Amino acid sequence: DHGMNDAQAAVALKTLHILLVEDNAVNQQVAAGFLRHLGQNVKIANDGFEAISAFEKDKFDLILMDMQMPNLDGIEATRRIRALPDGQAVSIIAMTANASEDDRRLCHEAGMTGFETKPVTMPKLRDIIARTEQIVDPGQMASVKAAPPERDSEFDTLYEQRRAELIEALPRVARQFLR
């Protein structure tokens, strides 16, 4: 990233409207926190059905799709989104802990644009956003850029609480491992 800090990198990124599809609450908080830190608009869906519903109601530049979820998994949700009007236009990136060739093939066959392994990190998300910017039509981008990122104060409070708890717990956990 050529020595840019997170704040500089966030300024360099365009603001995208991102749908985060993830069933795990901790993963949701971490990824959404990173995305908001990078200046992105984020909406969260808990499973494939919620993702399809959100996509039908709103326009997204990027969907980050967990593969394994209850009710409707990421592969089937992607197939169904691709079949909808505008479903071919959106970038859909698989986010998964399973990085096998079979998983990559399944994602590709379902119509996913890309594939990223978990854990989600700020540099990985920055790269995905930068790659997506190049795909999104500049005319579409203007309307997205005009809307300021939504702030979810309840999320921000929870995020800070979790962060403080983790920082507080680190020395205790480290001592257990060093025994």
Side-chain angles (χ1 to χ4, degrees), residues 78-137:
T78 297
R79 285 190 188 112
R80 294 185 190 187
I81 287 170
R82 289 294 188 218
L84 294 171
D86 295 328
Q88 292 296 323
V90 67
S91 287
I92 303 177
I93 307 293
M95 303 295 286
T96 182
N98 306 326
S100 74
E101 281 308 308
D102 282 346
D103 286 329
R104 287 178 189 273
R105 184 182 46 75
L106 284 170
C107 291
H108 180 72
E109 287 171 0
M112 290 184 175
T113 318
F115 188 95
E116 284 293 334
T117 55
K118 290 180 180 176
V120 173
T121 64
M122 188 94 70
K124 278 185 193 176
L125 290 172
R126 186 185 301 120
D127 290 346
I128 291 168
I129 292 162
R131 287 195 311 261
T132 302
E133 282 180 16
Q134 296 165 2
I135 299 166
V136 175
D137 166 9

Side-chain angles (χ1 to χ4, degrees), residues 44-98:
I44 296 172
N46 295 296
D47 64 30
F49 287 121
E50 286 185 21
I52 293 165
S53 175
F55 186 80
E56 288 174 327
K57 292 179 189 136
D58 208 346
K59 185 164 180 36
F60 295 96
D61 300 303
L62 172 64
I63 299 174
L64 299 175
M65 181 79 73
D66 186 16
M67 278 183 65
Q68 296 181 317
M69 295 177 290
N71 305 321
L72 188 68
D73 69 26
I75 298 291
E76 186 57 30
T78 297
R79 285 190 188 112
R80 294 185 190 187
I81 287 170
R82 289 294 188 218
L84 294 171
D86 295 328
Q88 292 296 323
V90 67
S91 287
I92 303 177
I93 307 293
M95 303 295 286
T96 182
N98 306 326

Side-chain angles (χ1 to χ4, degrees), residues 1 3-14 37-40 122-123 126-127 129-130 133:
D1 70 7
M4 283 196 297
N5 66 29
D6 289 337
Q8 290 168 320
V11 170
L13 293 172
K14 289 188 175 90
H37 185 76
L38 291 169
Q40 304 303 304
M122 188 94 70
R126 186 185 301 120
D127 290 346
I129 292 162
E133 282 180 16

Side-chain angles (χ1 to χ4, degrees), residues 20-38:
L20 173 64
V21 189
E22 170 65 66
D23 63 313
N24 179 290
V26 173
N27 291 347
Q28 284 177 357
Q29 287 181 359
V30 170
F34 284 161
L35 290 166
R36 288 189 178 111
H37 185 76
L38 291 169

